[in-house]
Amino acid sequence: MEGLDTFGMIKLINFARSQVRQGLSHPDVSPERFLEGDEYLKPVIEDDALLYSIDDIFDLAEKEAQSSTKKTPETTYSHEQVLQMIRQIDQLREQAVYYRSALQKTYLEKLELLERTLSNEPSSNGEGPTAPPRENDSDSHYFSSYAHNDAYRDFIYDNKHLFAGKVVLDVGCGTGILSLFCAKAGAAKVIAVDNSAIIEKAREIVFENGLSDTIQCLRGKIEDINLPVKKVDIIISEWMGYCLLYEAMLDSIIWARNRYLDSAGLMIPSHATLQLSLFADDDYISDKVTFWNSVYGFKMSCMRAKSYDDIVIRTVKTDNVPSRSVTFLELPLHTVQKDDLTITAADFCLTAAQDVDQLHGFVIHFDIFFTTGQDKEISDAATSFTTGPSGSETHWQQALALIDTSKSDTATLKASEQIQGSIALRKGNEYFRELEISIQWQAVDAQRDEKASMSMRRQTWLMR
C-alpha cells in the first residue's frame, strides 16, 4: 500500500468498481491505470460505503503487517493484495446488511404476532385464533406494514389543539406508538391499555423516551380493568383486523366509548368503510387453483376445494381489479353499535371498466378516516388511508373471495356491463372474531337493462 494516500485509495476503489462492473473479476490494478488524472475520484456506486471506510482498509493492512512475524512494519502490499482486502471488507459489509435485515424482519414478524394474537381471547377449545390464509408476494410487507402509522401521526400533529391538555385513552396500544404521538402533541395524560405481553415493551419505550409522567401503561382487557379517570376526552386505537372486522377489537372499542368517552369526546379514527370490487386474474387462478387439475399428470382436484371456501389475504394488483370499488358498509365510530356490525343484505352494483374474459372473484378492502369532531362526515376527513389495491401496501393487504367455478361458469363481461347483487356479513358461530361472508350476484347489461347469460349465483366464504 506504499505510495497510496487517501486519494490514491479512492481512485483504486472506483477503478476496481468500474472494472468489475464491466465483468472483469480479476482486473489489472497497476497504478498507471488509475492514478493519472481525476477520472476515478468520481464514485462509481452512489453513496459507496467503502469510500467512507478507507480508514478501515488502512487499519486492516496495518493489523495484517503487525500480526505477521515474517513482515516488518515497512512491509508493502501489492495492489492485488489491497484489492483482495477490499473484496473481504465488501463481503463482510454485505453479510452485515443481510443479517441486519433478517433480524429486523424477524423482529417485526414477532412483534406483529404479539400484537395480533397475544391480545386476543382464546377460542372455545382453549386455543388462540389463527390468521386466515395469507400470501406474501415479497418480504416488503414487513417494512411497509406500519406505513399507515403516518396517517395517525399526521392527523395528531396537524391538530395538536385537539390534544393539548386532554386525557387520551389508547386501546390495544401495542408498542405505544400512538400514545407517544399524543403525548408529543401536548396531551395532559395518556392511558395506554393492552392485554398482551407487549405492554411490558411499551412501558420500556415510554420510559426510554422520557414520557413516563404523561403515559400510564395498563395491562388487561379494557372491559376488566379500572382506569384512573372517570372520563376521557379522546379514544384512539388501531383496532382494525383483516377485512376490517376479522379478529378486530371493535367490540371493545364500542364498550370503551360507551363507558369512558366524554359526551363531547373524539374517536380516532372517526369512520371506517368496507369496499367491494371485482377480481380477474388468469395467472393467479392457473398458479393457485387449476394447478391441482393435473400435477405431473395426476388429478388432485380435491386440493383446490378450500380455495373456494376461505377468504385469502393477499396483495392484489390494480391490473386485476376491473372495476371501481363500492362501499357496502360504513361505520361512524362515534355512534356505531355492535348490532351494526352484522349485515343481512347490502346491495351493490359493480360496473366493469374493461372487457373481462372471466370473472374470478371479489376483492374486499377497507378505508379509514380521521375527522376533527363528532358532527363531521367522511367528506370532512382531514386525513385518511386505504388498504385497497390502489394505495400503499399495508399488512392488512386485501381479502380475496374466489368464485367456485366447479359449480358453474363465471361471467364474461363487456366494458360497462354490471355485476349486481347483495352481500351479507356476520360473525362466526364458534369464535366471535371470525367472519362469514355471503354474496349473491348476477351479470346485467346496463345499456340494455337486461340480465346477462349468467344466472343468479350465491356463495359463502369464511375467515377462520
PDB file of all heavy atoms in Angstrom, residues 59-75:
ATOM      1  N   ASP A  59      -6.315   0.309   8.405  1.00  0.00           N
ATOM      2  CA  ASP A  59      -6.204  -0.391   9.692  1.00  0.00           C
ATOM      3  C   ASP A  59      -6.026  -1.883   9.484  1.00  0.00           C
ATOM      4  O   ASP A  59      -5.255  -2.556  10.181  1.00  0.00           O
ATOM      5  CB  ASP A  59      -7.449  -0.129  10.550  1.00  0.00           C
ATOM      6  CG  ASP A  59      -7.514   1.301  11.036  1.00  0.00           C
ATOM      7  OD1 ASP A  59      -6.472   1.985  10.995  1.00  0.00           O
ATOM      8  OD2 ASP A  59      -8.609   1.740  11.452  1.00  0.00           O
ATOM      9  N   LEU A  60      -6.813  -2.432   8.505  1.00  0.00           N
ATOM     10  CA  LEU A  60      -6.712  -3.855   8.228  1.00  0.00           C
ATOM     11  C   LEU A  60      -5.323  -4.222   7.743  1.00  0.00           C
ATOM     12  O   LEU A  60      -4.730  -5.222   8.176  1.00  0.00           O
ATOM     13  CB  LEU A  60      -7.764  -4.261   7.183  1.00  0.00           C
ATOM     14  CG  LEU A  60      -7.774  -5.736   6.772  1.00  0.00           C
ATOM     15  CD1 LEU A  60      -8.079  -6.627   7.971  1.00  0.00           C
ATOM     16  CD2 LEU A  60      -8.798  -5.958   5.657  1.00  0.00           C
ATOM     17  N   ALA A  61      -4.736  -3.399   6.872  1.00  0.00           N
ATOM     18  CA  ALA A  61      -3.388  -3.659   6.359  1.00  0.00           C
ATOM     19  C   ALA A  61      -2.355  -3.576   7.471  1.00  0.00           C
ATOM     20  O   ALA A  61      -1.426  -4.389   7.562  1.00  0.00           O
ATOM     21  CB  ALA A  61      -3.056  -2.660   5.254  1.00  0.00           C
ATOM     22  N   GLU A  62      -2.536  -2.614   8.365  1.00  0.00           N
ATOM     23  CA  GLU A  62      -1.588  -2.454   9.461  1.00  0.00           C
ATOM     24  C   GLU A  62      -1.636  -3.650  10.404  1.00  0.00           C
ATOM     25  O   GLU A  62      -0.603  -4.147  10.855  1.00  0.00           O
ATOM     26  CB  GLU A  62      -1.898  -1.171  10.217  1.00  0.00           C
ATOM     27  CG  GLU A  62      -0.902  -0.875  11.336  1.00  0.00           C
ATOM     28  CD  GLU A  62      -1.204   0.450  12.015  1.00  0.00           C
ATOM     29  OE1 GLU A  62      -2.085   1.175  11.509  1.00  0.00           O
ATOM     30  OE2 GLU A  62      -0.575   0.734  13.048  1.00  0.00           O
ATOM     31  N   LYS A  63      -2.871  -4.134  10.702  1.00  0.00           N
ATOM     32  CA  LYS A  63      -3.008  -5.295  11.579  1.00  0.00           C
ATOM     33  C   LYS A  63      -2.407  -6.538  10.938  1.00  0.00           C
ATOM     34  O   LYS A  63      -1.802  -7.374  11.618  1.00  0.00           O
ATOM     35  CB  LYS A  63      -4.483  -5.522  11.903  1.00  0.00           C
ATOM     36  CG  LYS A  63      -5.056  -4.462  12.832  1.00  0.00           C
ATOM     37  CD  LYS A  63      -6.542  -4.701  13.096  1.00  0.00           C
ATOM     38  CE  LYS A  63      -7.109  -3.613  13.994  1.00  0.00           C
ATOM     39  NZ  LYS A  63      -8.562  -3.828  14.222  1.00  0.00           N
ATOM     40  N   GLU A  64      -2.594  -6.673   9.630  1.00  0.00           N
ATOM     41  CA  GLU A  64      -2.002  -7.807   8.923  1.00  0.00           C
ATOM     42  C   GLU A  64      -0.480  -7.770   9.047  1.00  0.00           C
ATOM     43  O   GLU A  64       0.186  -8.785   9.267  1.00  0.00           O
ATOM     44  CB  GLU A  64      -2.405  -7.775   7.448  1.00  0.00           C
ATOM     45  CG  GLU A  64      -3.864  -8.129   7.187  1.00  0.00           C
ATOM     46  CD  GLU A  64      -4.068  -9.626   7.226  1.00  0.00           C
ATOM     47  OE1 GLU A  64      -3.073 -10.375   7.225  1.00  0.00           O
ATOM     48  OE2 GLU A  64      -5.233 -10.065   7.267  1.00  0.00           O
ATOM     49  N   ALA A  65       0.075  -6.576   8.919  1.00  0.00           N
ATOM     50  CA  ALA A  65       1.535  -6.432   8.986  1.00  0.00           C
ATOM     51  C   ALA A  65       2.047  -6.734  10.384  1.00  0.00           C
ATOM     52  O   ALA A  65       3.066  -7.403  10.571  1.00  0.00           O
ATOM     53  CB  ALA A  65       1.931  -5.018   8.565  1.00  0.00           C
ATOM     54  N   GLN A  66       1.324  -6.252  11.407  1.00  0.00           N
ATOM     55  CA  GLN A  66       1.766  -6.443  12.782  1.00  0.00           C
ATOM     56  C   GLN A  66       1.637  -7.879  13.241  1.00  0.00           C
ATOM     57  O   GLN A  66       2.366  -8.329  14.119  1.00  0.00           O
ATOM     58  CB  GLN A  66       0.978  -5.516  13.708  1.00  0.00           C
ATOM     59  CG  GLN A  66       1.294  -4.045  13.500  1.00  0.00           C
ATOM     60  CD  GLN A  66       0.415  -3.148  14.340  1.00  0.00           C
ATOM     61  OE1 GLN A  66      -0.539  -3.613  14.957  1.00  0.00           O
ATOM     62  NE2 GLN A  66       0.740  -1.861  14.352  1.00  0.00           N
ATOM     63  N   SER A  67       0.661  -8.604  12.676  1.00  0.00           N
ATOM     64  CA  SER A  67       0.429  -9.981  13.114  1.00  0.00           C
ATOM     65  C   SER A  67       1.342 -10.993  12.427  1.00  0.00           C
ATOM     66  O   SER A  67       1.369 -12.162  12.785  1.00  0.00           O
ATOM     67  CB  SER A  67      -1.037 -10.367  12.850  1.00  0.00           C
ATOM     68  OG  SER A  67      -1.285 -10.352  11.457  1.00  0.00           O
ATOM     69  N   SER A  68       2.060 -10.565  11.411  1.00  0.00           N
ATOM     70  CA  SER A  68       2.938 -11.481  10.671  1.00  0.00           C
ATOM     71  C   SER A  68       4.379 -11.347  11.159  1.00  0.00           C
ATOM     72  O   SER A  68       4.939 -10.259  11.209  1.00  0.00           O
ATOM     73  CB  SER A  68       2.864 -11.175   9.168  1.00  0.00           C
ATOM     74  OG  SER A  68       3.789 -11.974   8.479  1.00  0.00           O
ATOM     75  N   THR A  69       4.966 -12.473  11.538  1.00  0.00           N
ATOM     76  CA  THR A  69       6.363 -12.454  12.011  1.00  0.00           C
ATOM     77  C   THR A  69       7.354 -12.348  10.865  1.00  0.00           C
ATOM     78  O   THR A  69       8.529 -12.071  11.072  1.00  0.00           O
ATOM     79  CB  THR A  69       6.669 -13.742  12.803  1.00  0.00           C
ATOM     80  OG1 THR A  69       6.435 -14.865  11.948  1.00  0.00           O
ATOM     81  CG2 THR A  69       5.791 -13.831  14.041  1.00  0.00           C
ATOM     82  N   LYS A  70       6.877 -12.599   9.678  1.00  0.00           N
ATOM     83  CA  LYS A  70       7.755 -12.578   8.515  1.00  0.00           C
ATOM     84  C   LYS A  70       7.843 -11.197   7.899  1.00  0.00           C
ATOM     85  O   LYS A  70       8.585 -10.989   6.960  1.00  0.00           O
ATOM     86  CB  LYS A  70       7.270 -13.580   7.453  1.00  0.00           C
ATOM     87  CG  LYS A  70       7.309 -15.024   7.932  1.00  0.00           C
ATOM     88  CD  LYS A  70       6.863 -15.963   6.840  1.00  0.00           C
ATOM     89  CE  LYS A  70       6.907 -17.412   7.293  1.00  0.00           C
ATOM     90  NZ  LYS A  70       6.469 -18.345   6.218  1.00  0.00           N
ATOM     91  N   LYS A  71       6.991 -10.260   8.387  1.00  0.00           N
ATOM     92  CA  LYS A  71       6.948  -8.946   7.779  1.00  0.00           C
ATOM     93  C   LYS A  71       7.338  -7.895   8.797  1.00  0.00           C
ATOM     94  O   LYS A  71       7.037  -8.006   9.985  1.00  0.00           O
ATOM     95  CB  LYS A  71       5.549  -8.645   7.229  1.00  0.00           C
ATOM     96  CG  LYS A  71       5.157  -9.602   6.101  1.00  0.00           C
ATOM     97  CD  LYS A  71       3.719  -9.340   5.657  1.00  0.00           C
ATOM     98  CE  LYS A  71       3.298 -10.306   4.570  1.00  0.00           C
ATOM     99  NZ  LYS A  71       1.925 -10.141   4.172  1.00  0.00           N
ATOM    100  N   THR A  72       7.983  -6.889   8.349  1.00  0.00           N
ATOM    101  CA  THR A  72       8.353  -5.773   9.203  1.00  0.00           C
ATOM    102  C   THR A  72       7.337  -4.675   9.022  1.00  0.00           C
ATOM    103  O   THR A  72       6.542  -4.696   8.078  1.00  0.00           O
ATOM    104  CB  THR A  72       9.743  -5.257   8.794  1.00  0.00           C
ATOM    105  OG1 THR A  72       9.657  -4.718   7.474  1.00  0.00           O
ATOM    106  CG2 THR A  72      10.775  -6.379   8.812  1.00  0.00           C
ATOM    107  N   PRO A  73       7.325  -3.672   9.901  1.00  0.00           N
ATOM    108  CA  PRO A  73       6.384  -2.561   9.728  1.00  0.00           C
ATOM    109  C   PRO A  73       6.514  -1.876   8.387  1.00  0.00           C
ATOM    110  O   PRO A  73       5.615  -1.189   7.937  1.00  0.00           O
ATOM    111  CB  PRO A  73       6.744  -1.614  10.882  1.00  0.00           C
ATOM    112  CG  PRO A  73       7.349  -2.512  11.924  1.00  0.00           C
ATOM    113  CD  PRO A  73       8.080  -3.582  11.137  1.00  0.00           C
ATOM    114  N   GLU A  74       7.692  -2.052   7.741  1.00  0.00           N
ATOM    115  CA  GLU A  74       7.875  -1.390   6.442  1.00  0.00           C
ATOM    116  C   GLU A  74       7.346  -2.244   5.292  1.00  0.00           C
ATOM    117  O   GLU A  74       7.483  -1.863   4.133  1.00  0.00           O
ATOM    118  CB  GLU A  74       9.363  -1.098   6.199  1.00  0.00           C
ATOM    119  CG  GLU A  74       9.981  -0.016   7.109  1.00  0.00           C
ATOM    120  CD  GLU A  74      10.219  -0.544   8.513  1.00  0.00           C
ATOM    121  OE1 GLU A  74      10.413  -1.771   8.644  1.00  0.00           O
ATOM    122  OE2 GLU A  74      10.207   0.259   9.470  1.00  0.00           O
ATOM    123  N   THR A  75       6.752  -3.412   5.622  1.00  0.00           N
ATOM    124  CA  THR A  75       6.284  -4.299   4.566  1.00  0.00           C
ATOM    125  C   THR A  75       5.270  -3.583   3.688  1.00  0.00           C
ATOM    126  O   THR A  75       4.378  -2.891   4.181  1.00  0.00           O
ATOM    127  CB  THR A  75       5.625  -5.555   5.171  1.00  0.00           C
ATOM    128  OG1 THR A  75       6.612  -6.222   5.968  1.00  0.00           O
ATOM    129  CG2 THR A  75       5.133  -6.472   4.083  1.00  0.00           C
TER     130      THR A  75
END
